[in-house]
């Protein structure tokens, strides 16, 4: 692992690190914010998964998570959204290829060798973090934006014993039936709809649910509402009677202005669960 940069932020340290990834067969980069408390012992960890076209840098520099993380003594990790490099397949469509890993382990075609973001985020990167940083891996929570919201919800519900809380900003909520999900996951995983069910947040809420706190924020003026399908997720929450807070935020769009406006609410939810 290489440390690419470290900057003091709100008394803690915002680092950027790279390493050779076995899961993705390429070098991967991630950001990690360590609050001041990390100087004296392990701290809880919040995952922030980013959306289409993003790198580790977008949420790290735009979401505004460090201030609250410093106050509550929680580390925040910002993984990349896909494998990258000259030998990694890409596509002309920004919703496929580099920047669009969808947090799945691809099994089909040219994607299968590198696009293992599920294994990277759930296995390889957690092990690397535990080995190299003062983190309490028994206290983890997860959030994300757009494609990352899809990733946060689906990972949390597939690994319910790992995460104490989950939240999402404008998540891709119905990947089985949306143009943001169906074409991409079919290319990555194949035509078998059953193999894609565990990567659909609305399906998982209704079939499995989540026993910890859950918060979803969605802007009413989001330019991608028809692709995100928040109504599918809200309906699934209601059908299961899943304890959750689902908020339609009037006038907000899909940008990081939206994310940064409500990041403190999400951080507070996770901090309470992590320190309980």
């Amino acid at each position: 692992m290489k440390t690419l940069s470290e900057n003091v932020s709100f008394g803690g340290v915002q680092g950027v690190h790279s390493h050779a990834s076995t899961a993705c067969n390429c070098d991967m980069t991630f950001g990690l914010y360590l609050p001041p408390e990390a100087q004296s012992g392990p701290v809880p960890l919040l995952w922030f998964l980013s959306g289409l076209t993003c790198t580790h840098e977008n949420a790290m520099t735009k979401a505004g998570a460090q201030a609250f993380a410093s106050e509550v003594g929680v580390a925040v990790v910002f993984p990349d959204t896909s494998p990258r490099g000259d030998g990694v397949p890409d596509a002309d469509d920004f919703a496929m290829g580099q920047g669009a890993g969808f947090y799945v382990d691809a099994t089909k075609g040219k994607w299968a060798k590198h696009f293992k973001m599920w294994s990277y985020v759930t296995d390889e990167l957690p092990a690397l973090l535990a080995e190299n940083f003062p983190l309490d891996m028994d206290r983890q929570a997860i959030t994300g934006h757009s494609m990352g919201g899809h990733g946060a919800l689906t990972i949390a519900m597939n690994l319910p014993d790992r995460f104490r809380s989950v939240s999402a900003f404008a998540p891709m909520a119905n990947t089985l039936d949306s143009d943001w999900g169906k074409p991409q996951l079919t290319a990555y995983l194949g035509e078998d709809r059953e193999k894609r069910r565990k990567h659909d947040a609305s399906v998982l809420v209704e079939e499995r649910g989540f026993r910890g706190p859950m918060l979803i924020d969605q802007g009413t003026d989001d330019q991608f509402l028809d692709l995100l399908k928040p109504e599918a997720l809200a309906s699934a929450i209601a059908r299961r009677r899943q304890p959750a807070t689902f908020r339609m935020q009037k006038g907000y769009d899909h940008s990081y202005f939206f994310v940064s406006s409500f990041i403190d609410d999400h951080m507070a939810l996770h901090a309470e669960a992590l320190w309980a």
Side-chain angles (χ1 to χ4, degrees):
M1 189 184 71
K2 298 178 182 178
T3 296
L4 303 181
S5 65
E6 288 185 326
N7 297 94
V8 175
S9 177
F10 297 98
V13 177
Q14 176 62 65
V16 177
H17 312 275
S18 69
H19 67 105
S21 168
T22 301
C24 296
N25 285 293
C26 65
D27 287 344
M28 295 292 287
T29 302
F30 65 92
L32 177 66
Y33 177 74
L34 292 173
E37 285 82 355
Q39 297 176 23
S40 56
V43 294
L45 178 64
L46 173 65
W47 293 77
F48 194 113
L49 305 185
S50 291
L52 285 175
T53 74
C54 291
T55 69
H56 70 280
E57 191 173 21
N58 295 71
M60 186 182 79
T61 59
K62 296 179 181 179
Q66 290 86 350
F68 206 104
S70 174
E71 290 181 17
V72 298
V74 171
V76 187
V77 61
F78 306 93
D80 204 345
T81 55
S82 79
R84 297 182 191 273
D86 293 339
V88 176
D90 205 357
D92 292 334
D93 179 0
F94 73 93
M96 282 289 297
Q98 296 188 35
F102 275 83
Y103 304 100
V104 303
D105 278 354
T107 58
K108 298 297 180 180
K110 64 182 181 179
W111 312 110
K113 181 178 179 180
H114 296 281
F115 281 72
K116 305 291 187 181
M117 288 302 293
W118 181 274
S119 291
Y120 178 70
V121 170
T122 65
D123 292 325
E124 185 177 18
L125 186 53
L128 184 75
L129 294 172
E131 182 179 352
N132 290 280
F133 300 98
L135 300 171
D136 182 352
M137 302 303 282
D138 290 329
R139 296 173 182 265
Q140 295 187 61
I142 191 166
T143 188
H145 173 230
S146 193
M147 181 183 72
H150 139 78
L153 291 168
T154 56
I155 289 172
M157 285 185 280
N158 277 291
L159 301 173
D161 294 332
R162 181 176 301 186
F163 299 100
R164 297 193 176 192
S165 52
V166 62
S167 71
F169 300 87
M172 295 180 182
N174 190 199
T175 53
L176 277 175
D177 297 308
S178 170
D179 285 342
W180 266 5
K182 184 177 179 179
Q184 296 82 11
L185 268 63
T186 298
Y188 291 148
L189 302 174
E191 295 287 346
D192 188 346
R193 187 177 174 91
E194 287 302 308
K195 293 181 179 179
R196 294 182 271 122
R197 288 179 67 83
K198 80 169 191 176
H199 299 292
D200 186 297
S202 297
V203 169
L204 290 175
V205 165
E206 187 166 1
E207 293 184 351
R208 304 186 187 186
F210 184 75
R211 65 171 177 263
M214 177 182 288
L215 170 63
I216 297 99
D217 274 317
Q218 172 64 64
T220 63
D221 287 7
D222 193 315
Q223 57 271 45
F224 305 115
L225 272 178
D226 290 343
L227 293 166
L228 298 170
K229 295 189 177 293
E231 65 279 1
L233 183 57
S235 297
I237 288 170
R239 285 193 297 271
R240 185 179 176 86
R241 300 179 182 177
Q242 164 72 39
T245 300
F246 190 107
R247 307 189 299 192
M248 296 296 296
Q249 301 289 5
K250 185 177 181 180
Y252 285 88
D253 59 17
H254 198 70
S255 70
Y256 272 96
F257 294 108
F258 159 62
V259 174
S260 61
S261 295
F262 299 102
I263 189 68
D264 283 3
D265 290 350
H266 290 244
M267 296 293 294
L269 174 102
H270 295 303
E272 182 177 358
L274 289 168
W275 286 115

